[in-house]
Each structure stands twice: as structure tokens, then as C-alpha cells.
Amino acid sequence: MNTTSSRSVRTVVALVAALCCGCGAQPAAGPPDQAAAQLPPDSSAPPSSSAPPDPAAVGANELGLVPILMYHRLVEQPTSVYDRTPAAFRAELERLAAEGYVPVTTAEYATGRIDLPAGAHPVVLTFDDGDATQFALGPDGAPVPGTAIAILLDVAARHPGFRPVASLYVNAGPFGSPDGAALRWLRDHGFEIGNHTRDHTNLAMADDGGVQGAIASGQREIQQAVPGYQVSSLALPFGAIPANGTLALRGASDGVAYEYACVLMVGAGPAPSPFAADFDPANTPRIRSQDPTGEDARYGSAVWLDQLAAAPAQRYTSDGVPDRVSYPASAGVAPAPHFADRAAAY
């Protein structure tokens, strides 16, 4: 792997995100307080062993890198680098399960609620735009076969411990379900519903009022369909960062206030651990799901998963103890000060 620390990864990510998005906005001056995450009632991870192995025995590194994978459409004939075939999507999930990754939601990741068995690695599956190829309900009230969520459920059923959870970032009228039934199903089955603005607004082109209005209107759409739902994260449309970066995390418009634990960019590399000093909830990178060849494939999921597999000490590996943050003293990454009382170097 070319990077030697999560800090260098974030430098590459920031440069690539700026190139891809054509956005000159500056990030927030520092990481703001984290918002409380909504954790669905059936989204708890498998319980950790009562006698976890020694952190060194499993190569625990809870300051390591976390892949946050970004998906858009699943189609048999891709027309852009943002499309994946259903077969390629299934193969990627199978690979993740085989390599010991366990899905967590964006909210769980960003707030450090990562309760995984010792030796497991968190991965965040994110879906933008509310496309019907990601999720749709059939006449029987179940996910339509061949959609991303149906495939995820199938893979999880065949790999015990591979949690069928993901974070779906929606605009107006997502999944072809104007009555909100799709969003309610997702909530009831442990998936996170995230904000992508109602109209897929380029926030880098909006003034402060426009930024808050676009984000608040997206949250309003979700909460009208799912009353009382706590929206915990935002995926930036086009990866475009607003000039005032803090407004992506918190603000208010027309009676709707929002405060998020995490703001996702388009990005081009793994994200820092939420326990690491360089974790910035206002600028969290993602990896586009992609085959090992094609446009900018070196920034895609196949290449990055290869690199993490080749350098396992770089990735986040759980110690199996939820209230402890274990990491090798030689990792070269410092824990955030507010996690110092939980940090345990070995």
C-alpha cells in the first residue's frame, strides 16, 4: 500500500476529491461535536466473546483505515463508472465477507459504535440517489429480487456475521415509492436513511441560506415519510463541499434544524478510524465501487481492497472489546484526545 498512515491517505483523498468535484471550498476548521446517531432496534452487531483474544494475537488496530464504499445504480449494461452490474456487486459483497469485513452504518462508524468480533474489519456500504435498482418493494412487500438490498440480504443469509445493513442517501421520491413505504421498510429492517438533499443540490454553488435550505428540505422529506426518524448523516451531492463547511454538519431552515454525525464526500480512498486524531466528520472520504480497470480505477474499490489485503496492518481490525480502542504502538496514528481513556497501545 502506498500510504503509511491514515493522515497521508486523507491528503491523497482531499486532492482527488477536489479534482473530481471541481470544488474550491475549504473544509471546516476542525471536527465539530458528533451528533447522536439513530441506531435501529435490530441493528446490533453479533455479541463479542466474553474472553477476547489478546489484541496482538488478532492484529487489532482500531486506529486503522475503514473502507466506506459508494454505490449508485446496478444495471446489466453500465453506462458510467458509477454503475455496477448486479453480478459485480454480489461478487464484491462475497469478497468482503470472505475477507472478514462486517458492515456497519455510517452513523455507527462515525460515532464509534463499532461492536465487532475480534479480528473483524468494519466496512460501510453507502448508496446515493435513491435509485430503484438499489431497493424497491414488490407486491409481496419484500425487496425486489436483483436489487442491491435483496442481494445484500441474500449474501448475509449465507455468511453468518455479515450484517445486512447499509446507509442509503436519498433525494425526493426515493426508490419509486412516493408514499414512503420503502423508507419505512428500510428503517424497520435496520438500515440507515441518510440525507442527499431533496433536489440533489450542488452545495458548492449555493450561498449559506441555500445550503441550509437544501439540506433541511431533504431532511423534511425523510421525516415526513418516517415521522420521528433521526437523520444522522449527509452525503454531499457531486461531492461538492459548501463554502462554509460547518453548514453541512449543522444548520436550520424554515423550521427544520439538522445536526449530523458525519458528512460523506465522493472521495477516493479509505476513511480514518473514528477514534483517530485525524478523523474529520465534516470531510469523510469514500471509495467508489469499481472493477480493477477503467477510468480512475486506481481510486476504486477493487484496487483499494487489494491494497488493504496486502497491508493488513493498515486496516481497522477489531479487538472484540467495544469499550476499548486497541492499536499497535508502532501504527504511527494517534488516538483522538476524547478517546484517550479508552485507548490501549500494545
Side-chain angles (χ1 to χ4, degrees):
M1 182 172 180
N2 293 331
T3 55
T4 58
S5 70
S6 63
R7 186 175 300 277
S8 61
V9 168
R10 291 191 64 241
T11 300
V12 173
V13 169
L15 291 174
V16 174
L19 176 62
C20 295
C21 302
C23 171
Q26 298 298 315
D33 294 337
Q34 296 169 341
Q38 168 152 328
L39 299 178
D42 60 343
S43 69
S44 58
S48 301
S49 168
S50 58
D54 182 80
V58 295
N61 182 10
E62 294 178 323
L63 298 184
L65 301 172
V66 178
I68 302 178
L69 304 184
M70 178 180 67
Y71 302 94
H72 287 78
R73 297 193 310 159
L74 294 191
V75 293
E76 292 294 346
Q77 299 295 327
T79 59
S80 85
V81 293
Y82 292 97
D83 294 341
R84 298 233 69 181
T85 67
F89 175 68
R90 181 183 291 273
E92 186 156 83
L93 295 184
E94 292 281 357
R95 173 183 183 169
L96 292 168
E99 294 184 2
Y101 286 95
V102 177
V104 299
T105 66
T106 303
E108 290 169 330
Y109 154 77
T111 58
R113 301 190 184 190
I114 303 175
D115 184 3
L116 302 183
H121 321 292
V123 62
V124 185
L125 309 176
T126 68
F127 297 83
D128 289 5
D129 302 340
D131 192 85
T133 65
Q134 299 168 4
F135 175 61
L137 290 174
D140 60 353
V144 171
T147 59
I149 297 306
I151 293 171
L152 172 58
L153 292 170
D154 181 60
V155 171
R158 294 186 294 105
H159 294 276
F162 191 77
R163 299 173 67 217
V165 299
S167 299
L168 296 96
Y169 293 91
V170 299
N171 310 120
F175 312 116
S177 175
D179 62 355
L183 295 186
R184 291 189 291 275
W185 189 98
L186 290 168
R187 174 207 54 197
D188 293 344
H189 289 80
F191 292 85
E192 179 183 0
I193 304 166
N195 193 352
H196 201 43
T197 76
R198 183 186 63 191
D199 302 312
H200 205 271
T201 302
N202 184 330
L203 299 179
M205 304 296 291
D207 61 17
D208 287 359
V211 168
Q212 293 176 90
I215 297 172
S217 64
Q219 178 162 301
R220 182 184 296 107
E221 290 273 323
I222 295 169
Q223 293 177 328
Q224 285 177 343
V226 190
Y229 187 81
Q230 177 66 48
V231 183
S232 297
S233 59
L234 169 76
L236 297 168
F238 311 107
I241 304 169
N244 182 349
T246 60
L247 293 179
L249 277 167
R250 58 176 62 87
S253 180
D254 196 23
V256 175
Y258 59 88
E259 184 167 3
Y260 298 144
C262 193
V263 175
L264 298 173
M265 301 187 292
V266 168
S273 163
F275 305 122
D278 60 352
F279 169 63
D280 181 359
N283 296 276
T284 303
R286 292 188 285 175
I287 303 170
R288 182 172 64 204
S289 179
Q290 189 172 348
D291 288 333
T293 59
E295 179 186 343
D296 291 329
R298 66 189 181 279
Y299 304 120
S301 58
V303 171
W304 269 113
L305 290 174
D306 284 348
Q307 291 182 351
L308 291 172
Q314 295 284 333
R315 63 186 171 184
Y316 185 117
T317 300
S318 174
D319 68 357
V321 180
D323 59 355
R324 184 177 68 189
V325 179
S326 296
Y327 65 99
S330 60
V333 181
H338 53 284
F339 289 114
D341 61 338
R342 294 172 53 183
Y346 64 91

PDB file of all heavy atoms in Angstrom, residues 145-174:
ATOM      1  N   PRO A 145     -36.253  -8.953  -6.110  1.00  0.00           N
ATOM      2  CA  PRO A 145     -35.034  -9.701  -6.418  1.00  0.00           C
ATOM      3  C   PRO A 145     -34.169  -8.967  -7.437  1.00  0.00           C
ATOM      4  O   PRO A 145     -34.679  -8.355  -8.373  1.00  0.00           O
ATOM      5  CB  PRO A 145     -35.571 -11.018  -6.989  1.00  0.00           C
ATOM      6  CG  PRO A 145     -36.930 -11.168  -6.376  1.00  0.00           C
ATOM      7  CD  PRO A 145     -37.471  -9.765  -6.286  1.00  0.00           C
ATOM      8  N   GLY A 146     -32.856  -9.018  -7.212  1.00  0.00           N
ATOM      9  CA  GLY A 146     -31.929  -8.364  -8.120  1.00  0.00           C
ATOM     10  C   GLY A 146     -31.564  -6.955  -7.731  1.00  0.00           C
ATOM     11  O   GLY A 146     -30.598  -6.396  -8.261  1.00  0.00           O
ATOM     12  N   THR A 147     -32.329  -6.357  -6.823  1.00  0.00           N
ATOM     13  CA  THR A 147     -31.941  -5.036  -6.324  1.00  0.00           C
ATOM     14  C   THR A 147     -30.789  -5.199  -5.333  1.00  0.00           C
ATOM     15  O   THR A 147     -30.537  -6.286  -4.806  1.00  0.00           O
ATOM     16  CB  THR A 147     -33.110  -4.318  -5.640  1.00  0.00           C
ATOM     17  OG1 THR A 147     -33.579  -5.113  -4.538  1.00  0.00           O
ATOM     18  CG2 THR A 147     -34.259  -4.092  -6.625  1.00  0.00           C
ATOM     19  N   ALA A 148     -30.084  -4.114  -5.077  1.00  0.00           N
ATOM     20  CA  ALA A 148     -28.905  -4.192  -4.218  1.00  0.00           C
ATOM     21  C   ALA A 148     -29.243  -4.713  -2.825  1.00  0.00           C
ATOM     22  O   ALA A 148     -28.511  -5.543  -2.266  1.00  0.00           O
ATOM     23  CB  ALA A 148     -28.250  -2.816  -4.124  1.00  0.00           C
ATOM     24  N   ILE A 149     -30.340  -4.245  -2.262  1.00  0.00           N
ATOM     25  CA  ILE A 149     -30.683  -4.667  -0.897  1.00  0.00           C
ATOM     26  C   ILE A 149     -31.070  -6.132  -0.873  1.00  0.00           C
ATOM     27  O   ILE A 149     -30.720  -6.870   0.062  1.00  0.00           O
ATOM     28  CB  ILE A 149     -31.801  -3.779  -0.320  1.00  0.00           C
ATOM     29  CG1 ILE A 149     -31.323  -2.323  -0.209  1.00  0.00           C
ATOM     30  CG2 ILE A 149     -32.255  -4.299   1.045  1.00  0.00           C
ATOM     31  CD1 ILE A 149     -30.032  -2.121   0.551  1.00  0.00           C
ATOM     32  N   ALA A 150     -31.771  -6.605  -1.906  1.00  0.00           N
ATOM     33  CA  ALA A 150     -32.116  -8.027  -1.971  1.00  0.00           C
ATOM     34  C   ALA A 150     -30.848  -8.877  -2.068  1.00  0.00           C
ATOM     35  O   ALA A 150     -30.734  -9.933  -1.428  1.00  0.00           O
ATOM     36  CB  ALA A 150     -33.034  -8.294  -3.159  1.00  0.00           C
ATOM     37  N   ILE A 151     -29.878  -8.427  -2.859  1.00  0.00           N
ATOM     38  CA  ILE A 151     -28.615  -9.160  -2.986  1.00  0.00           C
ATOM     39  C   ILE A 151     -27.861  -9.155  -1.661  1.00  0.00           C
ATOM     40  O   ILE A 151     -27.322 -10.182  -1.229  1.00  0.00           O
ATOM     41  CB  ILE A 151     -27.765  -8.547  -4.112  1.00  0.00           C
ATOM     42  CG1 ILE A 151     -28.444  -8.769  -5.473  1.00  0.00           C
ATOM     43  CG2 ILE A 151     -26.361  -9.168  -4.121  1.00  0.00           C
ATOM     44  CD1 ILE A 151     -27.803  -8.024  -6.618  1.00  0.00           C
ATOM     45  N   LEU A 152     -27.830  -8.003  -0.989  1.00  0.00           N
ATOM     46  CA  LEU A 152     -27.163  -7.914   0.315  1.00  0.00           C
ATOM     47  C   LEU A 152     -27.796  -8.877   1.317  1.00  0.00           C
ATOM     48  O   LEU A 152     -27.088  -9.581   2.052  1.00  0.00           O
ATOM     49  CB  LEU A 152     -27.229  -6.474   0.830  1.00  0.00           C
ATOM     50  CG  LEU A 152     -26.760  -6.220   2.263  1.00  0.00           C
ATOM     51  CD1 LEU A 152     -25.315  -6.668   2.465  1.00  0.00           C
ATOM     52  CD2 LEU A 152     -26.916  -4.735   2.622  1.00  0.00           C
ATOM     53  N   LEU A 153     -29.110  -8.934   1.356  1.00  0.00           N
ATOM     54  CA  LEU A 153     -29.787  -9.838   2.276  1.00  0.00           C
ATOM     55  C   LEU A 153     -29.445 -11.293   1.962  1.00  0.00           C
ATOM     56  O   LEU A 153     -29.251 -12.114   2.864  1.00  0.00           O
ATOM     57  CB  LEU A 153     -31.297  -9.619   2.211  1.00  0.00           C
ATOM     58  CG  LEU A 153     -31.802  -8.279   2.762  1.00  0.00           C
ATOM     59  CD1 LEU A 153     -33.279  -8.090   2.414  1.00  0.00           C
ATOM     60  CD2 LEU A 153     -31.605  -8.189   4.270  1.00  0.00           C
ATOM     61  N   ASP A 154     -29.350 -11.617   0.689  1.00  0.00           N
ATOM     62  CA  ASP A 154     -29.037 -12.989   0.287  1.00  0.00           C
ATOM     63  C   ASP A 154     -27.616 -13.363   0.694  1.00  0.00           C
ATOM     64  O   ASP A 154     -27.374 -14.447   1.238  1.00  0.00           O
ATOM     65  CB  ASP A 154     -29.222 -13.140  -1.223  1.00  0.00           C
ATOM     66  CG  ASP A 154     -28.944 -14.558  -1.688  1.00  0.00           C
ATOM     67  OD1 ASP A 154     -29.642 -15.484  -1.225  1.00  0.00           O
ATOM     68  OD2 ASP A 154     -28.031 -14.754  -2.524  1.00  0.00           O
ATOM     69  N   VAL A 155     -26.662 -12.466   0.433  1.00  0.00           N
ATOM     70  CA  VAL A 155     -25.276 -12.741   0.809  1.00  0.00           C
ATOM     71  C   VAL A 155     -25.152 -12.876   2.328  1.00  0.00           C
ATOM     72  O   VAL A 155     -24.469 -13.780   2.838  1.00  0.00           O
ATOM     73  CB  VAL A 155     -24.338 -11.642   0.267  1.00  0.00           C
ATOM     74  CG1 VAL A 155     -22.937 -11.800   0.832  1.00  0.00           C
ATOM     75  CG2 VAL A 155     -24.308 -11.676  -1.260  1.00  0.00           C
ATOM     76  N   ALA A 156     -25.813 -12.002   3.066  1.00  0.00           N
ATOM     77  CA  ALA A 156     -25.744 -12.063   4.529  1.00  0.00           C
ATOM     78  C   ALA A 156     -26.338 -13.356   5.066  1.00  0.00           C
ATOM     79  O   ALA A 156     -25.841 -13.914   6.057  1.00  0.00           O
ATOM     80  CB  ALA A 156     -26.462 -10.851   5.127  1.00  0.00           C
ATOM     81  N   ALA A 157     -27.389 -13.840   4.427  1.00  0.00           N
ATOM     82  CA  ALA A 157     -28.022 -15.078   4.882  1.00  0.00           C
ATOM     83  C   ALA A 157     -27.084 -16.270   4.736  1.00  0.00           C
ATOM     84  O   ALA A 157     -27.168 -17.236   5.498  1.00  0.00           O
ATOM     85  CB  ALA A 157     -29.309 -15.323   4.101  1.00  0.00           C
ATOM     86  N   ARG A 158     -26.192 -16.196   3.782  1.00  0.00           N
ATOM     87  CA  ARG A 158     -25.261 -17.295   3.536  1.00  0.00           C
ATOM     88  C   ARG A 158     -23.917 -17.114   4.241  1.00  0.00           C
ATOM     89  O   ARG A 158     -23.069 -18.000   4.177  1.00  0.00           O
ATOM     90  CB  ARG A 158     -25.057 -17.486   2.028  1.00  0.00           C
ATOM     91  CG  ARG A 158     -26.338 -17.954   1.342  1.00  0.00           C
ATOM     92  CD  ARG A 158     -26.173 -18.291  -0.127  1.00  0.00           C
ATOM     93  NE  ARG A 158     -25.849 -17.110  -0.932  1.00  0.00           N
ATOM     94  CZ  ARG A 158     -24.641 -16.838  -1.415  1.00  0.00           C
ATOM     95  NH1 ARG A 158     -23.629 -17.637  -1.162  1.00  0.00           N
ATOM     96  NH2 ARG A 158     -24.446 -15.772  -2.147  1.00  0.00           N
ATOM     97  N   HIS A 159     -23.728 -15.959   4.887  1.00  0.00           N
ATOM     98  CA  HIS A 159     -22.490 -15.695   5.621  1.00  0.00           C
ATOM     99  C   HIS A 159     -22.841 -15.162   7.011  1.00  0.00           C
ATOM    100  O   HIS A 159     -22.922 -13.954   7.216  1.00  0.00           O
ATOM    101  CB  HIS A 159     -21.629 -14.672   4.871  1.00  0.00           C
ATOM    102  CG  HIS A 159     -21.104 -15.153   3.564  1.00  0.00           C
ATOM    103  ND1 HIS A 159     -19.958 -15.909   3.443  1.00  0.00           N
ATOM    104  CD2 HIS A 159     -21.578 -14.988   2.306  1.00  0.00           C
ATOM    105  CE1 HIS A 159     -19.740 -16.186   2.171  1.00  0.00           C
ATOM    106  NE2 HIS A 159     -20.704 -15.644   1.459  1.00  0.00           N
ATOM    107  N   PRO A 160     -23.055 -16.066   7.964  1.00  0.00           N
ATOM    108  CA  PRO A 160     -23.391 -15.621   9.314  1.00  0.00           C
ATOM    109  C   PRO A 160     -22.346 -14.633   9.839  1.00  0.00           C
ATOM    110  O   PRO A 160     -21.149 -14.832   9.695  1.00  0.00           O
ATOM    111  CB  PRO A 160     -23.363 -16.930  10.125  1.00  0.00           C
ATOM    112  CG  PRO A 160     -23.662 -17.991   9.115  1.00  0.00           C
ATOM    113  CD  PRO A 160     -23.009 -17.534   7.840  1.00  0.00           C
ATOM    114  N   GLY A 161     -22.840 -13.524  10.429  1.00  0.00           N
ATOM    115  CA  GLY A 161     -21.956 -12.487  10.929  1.00  0.00           C
ATOM    116  C   GLY A 161     -21.774 -11.332   9.972  1.00  0.00           C
ATOM    117  O   GLY A 161     -21.312 -10.270  10.379  1.00  0.00           O
ATOM    118  N   PHE A 162     -22.128 -11.535   8.712  1.00  0.00           N
ATOM    119  CA  PHE A 162     -22.054 -10.441   7.731  1.00  0.00           C
ATOM    120  C   PHE A 162     -23.377  -9.689   7.809  1.00  0.00           C
ATOM    121  O   PHE A 162     -24.382 -10.099   7.244  1.00  0.00           O
ATOM    122  CB  PHE A 162     -21.826 -10.994   6.322  1.00  0.00           C
ATOM    123  CG  PHE A 162     -21.476  -9.950   5.293  1.00  0.00           C
ATOM    124  CD1 PHE A 162     -20.197  -9.409   5.249  1.00  0.00           C
ATOM    125  CD2 PHE A 162     -22.411  -9.512   4.374  1.00  0.00           C
ATOM    126  CE1 PHE A 162     -19.856  -8.450   4.292  1.00  0.00           C
ATOM    127  CE2 PHE A 162     -22.090  -8.557   3.424  1.00  0.00           C
ATOM    128  CZ  PHE A 162     -20.805  -8.019   3.390  1.00  0.00           C
ATOM    129  N   ARG A 163     -23.378  -8.589   8.555  1.00  0.00           N
ATOM    130  CA  ARG A 163     -24.625  -7.897   8.879  1.00  0.00           C
ATOM    131  C   ARG A 163     -25.275  -7.292   7.632  1.00  0.00           C
ATOM    132  O   ARG A 163     -24.619  -6.575   6.869  1.00  0.00           O
ATOM    133  CB  ARG A 163     -24.383  -6.775   9.887  1.00  0.00           C
ATOM    134  CG  ARG A 163     -23.820  -7.229  11.213  1.00  0.00           C
ATOM    135  CD  ARG A 163     -23.453  -6.032  12.081  1.00  0.00           C
ATOM    136  NE  ARG A 163     -24.622  -5.294  12.498  1.00  0.00           N
ATOM    137  CZ  ARG A 163     -24.663  -3.972  12.609  1.00  0.00           C
ATOM    138  NH1 ARG A 163     -23.615  -3.231  12.284  1.00  0.00           N
ATOM    139  NH2 ARG A 163     -25.755  -3.369  13.016  1.00  0.00           N
ATOM    140  N   PRO A 164     -26.551  -7.503   7.414  1.00  0.00           N
ATOM    141  CA  PRO A 164     -27.245  -6.891   6.273  1.00  0.00           C
ATOM    142  C   PRO A 164     -27.708  -5.479   6.605  1.00  0.00           C
ATOM    143  O   PRO A 164     -28.893  -5.200   6.775  1.00  0.00           O
ATOM    144  CB  PRO A 164     -28.432  -7.833   6.038  1.00  0.00           C
ATOM    145  CG  PRO A 164     -28.752  -8.355   7.406  1.00  0.00           C
ATOM    146  CD  PRO A 164     -27.429  -8.445   8.138  1.00  0.00           C
ATOM    147  N   VAL A 165     -26.733  -4.553   6.707  1.00  0.00           N
ATOM    148  CA  VAL A 165     -27.046  -3.157   6.968  1.00  0.00           C
ATOM    149  C   VAL A 165     -26.296  -2.286   5.969  1.00  0.00           C
ATOM    150  O   VAL A 165     -25.254  -2.673   5.441  1.00  0.00           O
ATOM    151  CB  VAL A 165     -26.690  -2.725   8.415  1.00  0.00           C
ATOM    152  CG1 VAL A 165     -27.469  -3.539   9.434  1.00  0.00           C
ATOM    153  CG2 VAL A 165     -25.198  -2.829   8.667  1.00  0.00           C
ATOM    154  N   ALA A 166     -26.845  -1.119   5.701  1.00  0.00           N
ATOM    155  CA  ALA A 166     -26.232  -0.159   4.782  1.00  0.00           C
ATOM    156  C   ALA A 166     -26.841   1.200   5.077  1.00  0.00           C
ATOM    157  O   ALA A 166     -27.816   1.319   5.828  1.00  0.00           O
ATOM    158  CB  ALA A 166     -26.478  -0.557   3.328  1.00  0.00           C
ATOM    159  N   SER A 167     -26.249   2.230   4.470  1.00  0.00           N
ATOM    160  CA  SER A 167     -26.758   3.598   4.614  1.00  0.00           C
ATOM    161  C   SER A 167     -27.162   4.092   3.231  1.00  0.00           C
ATOM    162  O   SER A 167     -26.340   4.103   2.311  1.00  0.00           O
ATOM    163  CB  SER A 167     -25.678   4.497   5.227  1.00  0.00           C
ATOM    164  OG  SER A 167     -25.318   4.034   6.519  1.00  0.00           O
ATOM    165  N   LEU A 168     -28.420   4.494   3.101  1.00  0.00           N
ATOM    166  CA  LEU A 168     -28.967   4.896   1.804  1.00  0.00           C
ATOM    167  C   LEU A 168     -29.291   6.379   1.829  1.00  0.00           C
ATOM    168  O   LEU A 168     -30.084   6.837   2.676  1.00  0.00           O
ATOM    169  CB  LEU A 168     -30.204   4.068   1.465  1.00  0.00           C
ATOM    170  CG  LEU A 168     -29.915   2.563   1.286  1.00  0.00           C
ATOM    171  CD1 LEU A 168     -30.200   1.801   2.574  1.00  0.00           C
ATOM    172  CD2 LEU A 168     -30.723   1.973   0.152  1.00  0.00           C
ATOM    173  N   TYR A 169     -28.688   7.130   0.899  1.00  0.00           N
ATOM    174  CA  TYR A 169     -28.783   8.591   0.866  1.00  0.00           C
ATOM    175  C   TYR A 169     -29.751   8.996  -0.236  1.00  0.00           C
ATOM    176  O   TYR A 169     -29.525   8.696  -1.416  1.00  0.00           O
ATOM    177  CB  TYR A 169     -27.391   9.195   0.673  1.00  0.00           C
ATOM    178  CG  TYR A 169     -26.562   8.923   1.903  1.00  0.00           C
ATOM    179  CD1 TYR A 169     -25.776   7.778   1.998  1.00  0.00           C
ATOM    180  CD2 TYR A 169     -26.653   9.761   3.014  1.00  0.00           C
ATOM    181  CE1 TYR A 169     -25.081   7.491   3.160  1.00  0.00           C
ATOM    182  CE2 TYR A 169     -25.961   9.472   4.178  1.00  0.00           C
ATOM    183  CZ  TYR A 169     -25.180   8.338   4.251  1.00  0.00           C
ATOM    184  OH  TYR A 169     -24.515   8.054   5.414  1.00  0.00           O
ATOM    185  N   VAL A 170     -30.843   9.644   0.175  1.00  0.00           N
ATOM    186  CA  VAL A 170     -31.983   9.797  -0.719  1.00  0.00           C
ATOM    187  C   VAL A 170     -32.279  11.257  -1.044  1.00  0.00           C
ATOM    188  O   VAL A 170     -31.982  12.174  -0.276  1.00  0.00           O
ATOM    189  CB  VAL A 170     -33.230   9.124  -0.126  1.00  0.00           C
ATOM    190  CG1 VAL A 170     -32.992   7.627   0.068  1.00  0.00           C
ATOM    191  CG2 VAL A 170     -33.644   9.760   1.200  1.00  0.00           C
ATOM    192  N   ASN A 171     -32.888  11.425  -2.222  1.00  0.00           N
ATOM    193  CA  ASN A 171     -33.452  12.699  -2.656  1.00  0.00           C
ATOM    194  C   ASN A 171     -34.978  12.580  -2.573  1.00  0.00           C
ATOM    195  O   ASN A 171     -35.503  11.679  -1.925  1.00  0.00           O
ATOM    196  CB  ASN A 171     -33.008  13.003  -4.088  1.00  0.00           C
ATOM    197  CG  ASN A 171     -31.506  12.854  -4.284  1.00  0.00           C
ATOM    198  OD1 ASN A 171     -31.055  12.048  -5.084  1.00  0.00           O
ATOM    199  ND2 ASN A 171     -30.717  13.625  -3.550  1.00  0.00           N
ATOM    200  N   ALA A 172     -35.690  13.475  -3.234  1.00  0.00           N
ATOM    201  CA  ALA A 172     -37.151  13.436  -3.215  1.00  0.00           C
ATOM    202  C   ALA A 172     -37.652  12.182  -3.937  1.00  0.00           C
ATOM    203  O   ALA A 172     -37.079  11.748  -4.946  1.00  0.00           O
ATOM    204  CB  ALA A 172     -37.712  14.679  -3.892  1.00  0.00           C
ATOM    205  N   GLY A 173     -38.718  11.579  -3.410  1.00  0.00           N
ATOM    206  CA  GLY A 173     -39.353  10.437  -4.049  1.00  0.00           C
ATOM    207  C   GLY A 173     -38.439   9.253  -4.274  1.00  0.00           C
ATOM    208  O   GLY A 173     -38.396   8.706  -5.381  1.00  0.00           O
ATOM    209  N   PRO A 174     -37.700   8.787  -3.256  1.00  0.00           N
ATOM    210  CA  PRO A 174     -36.724   7.724  -3.485  1.00  0.00           C
ATOM    211  C   PRO A 174     -37.351   6.363  -3.767  1.00  0.00           C
ATOM    212  O   PRO A 174     -38.455   6.065  -3.303  1.00  0.00           O
ATOM    213  CB  PRO A 174     -35.946   7.689  -2.172  1.00  0.00           C
ATOM    214  CG  PRO A 174     -36.922   8.173  -1.150  1.00  0.00           C
ATOM    215  CD  PRO A 174     -37.740   9.216  -1.857  1.00  0.00           C
TER     216      PRO A 174
END
